[in-house]
Amino acid sequence: MDKAILRGVPVNQGVVTGKVTVLSNYSHINNMNEGDILVIPNSHPDYALGVMKAGGLICEEGGRLSHICIVALE
């Protein structure tokens, strides 16, 4: 099994491990399981269900004050 290291700017301190689910389209949100680390391209209201199910979140666009980060922290 190949392992990849993803790097970025953290919004919240901590470490999480789990299965990574990469979604390029919010219509595939049913392909993820509770606790998965969700990788999405940007903030969109239709990703909200996935964000609530995710154990961790990686968003390709945005920063610490972006909408998706605020939603994820809530």
Side-chain angles (χ1 to χ4, degrees):
M1 177 168 92
D2 291 336
K3 292 185 179 183
I5 296 175
L6 302 174
R7 298 183 191 276
V9 177
V11 175
N12 194 7
Q13 297 285 328
V15 176
V16 64
T17 59
K19 179 184 167 206
V20 174
T21 300
V22 179
L23 298 179
S24 58
N25 188 314
Y26 52 85
S27 65
H28 300 122
I29 204 79
N30 292 328
N31 294 345
M32 71 172 291
N33 297 311
E34 187 85 25
D36 285 358
I37 299 170
L38 180 61
V39 179
I40 57 177
N42 54 34
S43 176
H44 192 280
D46 289 334
Y47 286 121
L49 177 62
V51 171
M52 294 179 71
K53 288 172 52 175
L57 176 66
I58 299 171
C59 189
E60 294 179 28
E61 298 175 4
R64 290 179 184 230
L65 298 177
S66 67
H67 179 259
I68 193 67
C69 289
I70 302 302
V71 170
L73 286 171
E74 291 176 354

